[in-house]
Amino acid sequence: MSTPITEEASSRFITITENGQPLQLHYNDVGQGEQTVVMLHGSGPGASGWANFYRNVEPLVQAGYRVILLDCPGWSKSDSIVSTGSRSDLNARCLKAVLDGLGITGRVHIIGNSMGAHSTVSFALSNPERIGKLVLMGGGTGGPSQFVPMPTEGIKLIGALYRDPTVENLKRMMSVFVYDSSSLTEELYQQRLANILARRDHLENFVKSLQVFPKQFTDYGHRLSEIQAQTLVIWGRDDRFVPLDVGLRVIWGMPNAEMHIFNQCGHWAQWEHADKFNRMVRDFFSHP
């Protein structure tokens, strides 16, 4: 009988060095496969690797992959930090340090959602020899939409939630986060709010980071052509956080990228369309 895959059973910590200082990061480690898939979450308050990707872990483990879900610095159980420069680059440095610390020196596949997609691109630009295939959803470059006023509706709601973490502001943000908010339960709201309020230092330091360095997520548009890795770009047609045309810019810039657009889908494709997302990603990883 196989052991159930749970957040608690797969929970791990590792201490790395960032800017000369120790930084403890939390991650989940599941599966024993020879190939490793790393999952990087988005920037919403209360986010974590597990909360972002719990619907996607087991299918990849069953397909024979080792899956690592990293909580970026400033989220979930990882240490808090004030980012005085590009947070995308900070997360990429931390990912490299974690992989080195775990003795994973070969190529890894990376799945990045929103902030995680920005961080994935940064990691790929800095460590081309360490990447296998990439999956980017709702991010990848910090460039503006050509059709939707910036900051977008969703980004404004994230900012409001960071500054005033109430269940009302959480519900306002989540109502535009997904296409069909009726799938979001009161239990999910309360659990997410509890995660947010458990680490007020994360909230305060995120706001401080924006004050120190407003452009936290780098625009890599002019460098996307440097990434030669096969890349699957997945977007929700109805994304109100990072509009669809930003995804078109990503595949326009990356020479070996292809795109899938989900209809009736917001900013959380891997959650809203989990079954099809999982099939697509497994197929993408397993074929040349």
Side-chain angles (χ1 to χ4, degrees), residues 92-242:
R93 290 194 302 272
C94 290
L95 173 57
K96 182 179 185 299
V98 168
L99 293 175
D100 290 346
L102 295 177
I104 301 173
T105 57
R107 296 178 182 270
V108 296
H109 306 306
I110 309 178
I111 301 175
N113 178 214
S114 195
M115 174 183 75
H118 301 318
S119 305
T120 299
V121 167
S122 177
F123 182 86
L125 289 169
S126 300
N127 307 278
E129 75 287 352
R130 301 287 291 272
I131 56 174
K133 294 183 178 181
L134 309 178
V135 179
L136 308 176
M137 305 99 70
T141 178
S145 169
Q146 301 303 306
F147 304 105
V148 178
M150 306 292 281
T152 60
E153 174 186 16
I155 297 301
K156 289 179 181 178
L157 291 172
I158 280 185
L161 181 57
Y162 266 107
R163 290 172 173 83
D164 186 14
T166 64
V167 70
E168 291 78 18
N169 280 342
L170 175 62
K171 288 181 176 181
R172 289 189 188 100
M173 187 199 82
M174 295 298 289
S175 70
V176 302
F177 196 61
V178 296
Y179 177 78
D180 181 8
S181 61
S182 68
S183 61
L184 304 176
T185 63
E186 192 63 32
E187 180 183 9
L188 185 149
Y189 288 128
Q190 293 301 328
Q191 182 181 31
R192 186 70 177 247
L193 185 64
N195 290 345
I196 294 171
L197 296 178
R199 293 298 300 263
R200 287 188 175 271
D201 54 335
H202 287 344
L203 304 180
E204 294 165 0
N205 284 335
F206 186 82
V207 174
K208 288 178 183 176
S209 299
L210 290 172
Q211 292 169 345
V212 173
F213 194 80
K215 187 63 175 176
Q216 287 283 304
F217 303 113
T218 306
D219 184 357
Y220 300 111
H222 64 292
R223 296 191 61 193
L224 291 175
S225 61
E226 298 174 33
I227 300 177
Q228 299 297 312
Q230 292 186 53
T231 302
L232 176 60
V233 179
I234 297 176
W235 228 270
R237 182 203 64 180
D238 310 284
D239 193 328
R240 292 157 74 177
F241 285 73
V242 184

Side-chain angles (χ1 to χ4, degrees), residues 83-99:
S83 173
T84 58
S86 167
R87 190 177 292 272
S88 308
D89 294 346
L90 166 65
N91 292 341
R93 290 194 302 272
C94 290
L95 173 57
K96 182 179 185 299
V98 168
L99 293 175

